[in-house]
Amino acid sequence: MIMRRIGLTGGIGAGKSTVADLWRRAGETVIDLDALSRAVLDVPGPGVDEAVARFGPEILLDGGTVDRPRLAARVFSDPRAREDLERIVLSRVDDAVARQEVEAAARGIEVVVHDSPLLLEKHRDGDFAVLVSVLARREDRISRIARDRGRDRAYAESVMAAQVDDLERIRRSDLLVLNTGDAALLAHRARHQLDRAHDLLAR
């Protein structure tokens, strides 16, 4: 059996995780690379140890896990530091993704969705049979980041500057989900593009 992959991506605050949840509720097997990335730094172990060795003990919380907002504020203003953090996290995420795909294949699942924030930035386009990007207006994204994450405009703009811009997302994606309306409209668009993704896989 050949595993087919749908890549789902989008810039910070665009609504990618919401679309992933809608697809999961529609029956898709979704591998959440955001969650896997967080787990590397949220559980004391080799990932945390390597991050401390690189960035210093001041990034640690009392429980021995990483203060991710503090670390994020530091690395998004320093490209070399960001690359080092991605190297620490992504190698472990890749291992976890491979394990989840093996488990999915053992259950007879032939299509998996990778919910991945850095898919385009890391030039992983070729790993996917279909690539879907979620887009939203810049000001809507900034407002959503403030509401859902409690982060200010400066933080939002620094992360956006480190990510692929929307024109590049459009150019490199097979399908787009526009998050420019209410929740019901987003759900409709997400389902429509999921159906189109499966049509593309069937060709």
Side-chain angles (χ1 to χ4, degrees):
M1 180 182 68
I2 299 175
M3 180 72 70
R4 309 294 302 280
R5 300 185 183 99
I6 299 172
L8 175 65
T9 194
I12 185 171
K16 170 185 62 64
S17 296
T18 302
V19 172
D21 187 54
L22 290 165
W23 286 6
R24 189 179 291 108
R25 283 186 271 161
E28 296 299 309
T29 297
V30 178
I31 299 177
D32 185 346
L33 277 76
D34 278 320
L36 295 176
S37 297
R38 289 192 296 269
V40 172
L41 303 178
D42 286 350
V43 179
V48 172
D49 294 343
E50 191 172 351
V52 170
R54 168 61 178 85
F55 299 104
E58 63 271 16
I59 68 169
L60 282 180
L61 296 168
D62 291 341
T65 61
V66 170
D67 184 338
R68 287 187 290 106
R70 174 180 292 182
L71 181 58
R74 177 172 172 181
V75 303
F76 279 116
S77 61
D78 182 342
R80 179 170 294 181
R82 186 171 68 250
E83 289 175 4
D84 289 344
L85 178 61
E86 289 174 356
R87 175 183 51 78
I88 291 167
V89 172
L90 293 180
S91 62
R92 293 173 171 86
V93 169
D94 285 344
D95 290 343
V97 168
R99 289 194 297 271
Q100 290 198 18
E101 286 194 343
V102 168
E103 293 168 0
R107 301 197 306 271
I109 293 168
E110 298 182 5
V111 177
V112 295
V113 176
H114 284 210
D115 171 11
S116 174
L118 296 177
L119 189 160
L120 296 177
E121 288 78 2
K122 295 290 104 181
H123 301 281
R124 306 296 286 266
D125 315 34
D127 294 346
F128 301 94
V130 181
L131 200 156
V132 183
S133 283
V134 182
L135 301 178
R137 299 182 185 96
R138 182 180 181 85
E139 289 304 316
D140 290 346
R141 293 169 63 190
I142 292 171
S143 297
R144 198 172 294 125
I145 292 163
R147 183 193 69 208
D148 297 342
R149 308 189 189 195
R151 307 306 299 266
D152 61 15
R153 173 179 285 269
Y155 169 82
E157 291 182 340
S158 70
V159 177
M160 288 179 185
Q163 295 182 325
V164 168
D165 64 31
D166 284 350
L167 288 177
E168 184 72 0
R169 291 187 192 283
I170 292 168
R171 185 182 71 81
R172 293 166 63 183
S173 299
D174 299 299
L175 300 170
L176 303 171
V177 177
L178 302 181
N179 186 6
T180 56
D182 59 19
L185 181 57
L186 177 61
H188 171 76
R189 288 172 171 171
R191 183 56 199 241
H192 177 66
Q193 297 300 61
L194 177 60
D195 290 341
R196 290 186 66 196
H198 277 278
D199 287 344
L200 291 175
L201 289 176
R203 292 180 181 177

